[in-house]
Amino acid sequence: MNDDNFRVSALSPEMIKNLEAKRSWVYGHYIENGEELYQSLEGKLNLLNAIIENKWIDKSETLKLQCLGITFGDALIQHLEGLKWVEYFDEYGTDPALRFHETDFFIFPQTMISKRIEDGIEVNIYSLFEDSVKAILGHFESVYKPV
């Protein structure tokens, strides 16, 4: 596939509903005040860390692991100015992606955690977050600023 064979659009109502369901699954399942915690960057990361460290989701539960990825994407948006959720269409289907302004730079956080856990790789959510931020900042060194 040529790199130009993709299309991007604003989130459809269906995708917005899907992302919100994944967010609410994360903050509604493990900790009593999860929705409140979800409001802050630290709360999102701590919530993800608790779920991963306690192994509350089995590596075979891909959909649940992808819910964690949406929360991870929300944390990136909260920390880095200029990222937003979009729908990314290519020959493989449609996925939620993070886009930097109107560039062709996309991040697919929905699978960043699930792929690692499914492959048996131990995930340190704080290191993954820090490494992701550094990679993004490195790509857009002159224009990217943390919020």
Side-chain angles (χ1 to χ4, degrees):
M1 179 176 116
N2 182 320
D3 284 343
D4 295 331
N5 290 337
F6 68 89
R7 188 169 48 87
V8 177
S9 73
L11 295 176
S12 67
E14 181 179 314
M15 182 66 77
I16 291 170
K17 184 178 176 182
N18 177 285
L19 293 178
E20 188 51 42
K22 288 178 176 173
R23 287 180 186 111
S24 65
W25 188 87
V26 170
Y27 64 67
H29 266 77
Y30 297 105
I31 298 174
E32 199 170 297
N33 60 343
E35 189 169 5
E36 184 180 315
L37 287 173
Y38 200 94
Q39 301 308 308
S40 72
L41 173 62
E42 182 180 353
K44 284 178 185 69
L45 295 177
N46 289 342
L47 186 57
L48 289 172
N49 184 62
I51 293 167
I52 291 168
E53 275 198 354
N54 289 296
K55 297 182 180 358
W56 290 333
I57 302 174
D58 187 75
K59 71 179 193 174
S60 66
E61 297 178 285
T62 301
L63 181 60
K64 291 178 183 179
L65 292 170
Q66 288 180 354
C67 291
L68 303 182
I70 298 305
T71 297
F72 190 77
D74 287 345
L76 288 170
I77 287 172
Q78 193 167 4
H79 185 67
L80 294 171
E81 181 181 316
L83 285 177
K84 67 177 180 180
W85 285 108
V86 296
E87 280 189 58
Y88 183 96
F89 307 86
D90 64 15
E91 67 184 30
Y92 303 105
T94 305
D95 287 303
L98 297 181
R99 183 180 201 180
F100 175 69
H101 292 290
E102 298 302 316
T103 68
D104 286 344
F105 180 79
F106 300 94
I107 303 159
F108 298 89
Q110 178 172 255
T111 55
M112 288 177 75
I113 295 170
S114 64
K115 285 183 178 182
R116 285 169 173 81
I117 291 176
E118 289 167 350
D119 289 344
I121 299 169
E122 194 165 312
V123 174
N124 177 309
I125 201 65
Y126 303 107
S127 294
L128 181 61
F129 185 78
E130 185 178 316
D131 292 346
S132 298
V133 168
K134 283 180 185 175
I136 295 165
L137 289 173
H139 193 79
F140 292 104
E141 207 170 334
S142 62
V143 292
Y144 226 62
K145 297 176 186 152
V147 176

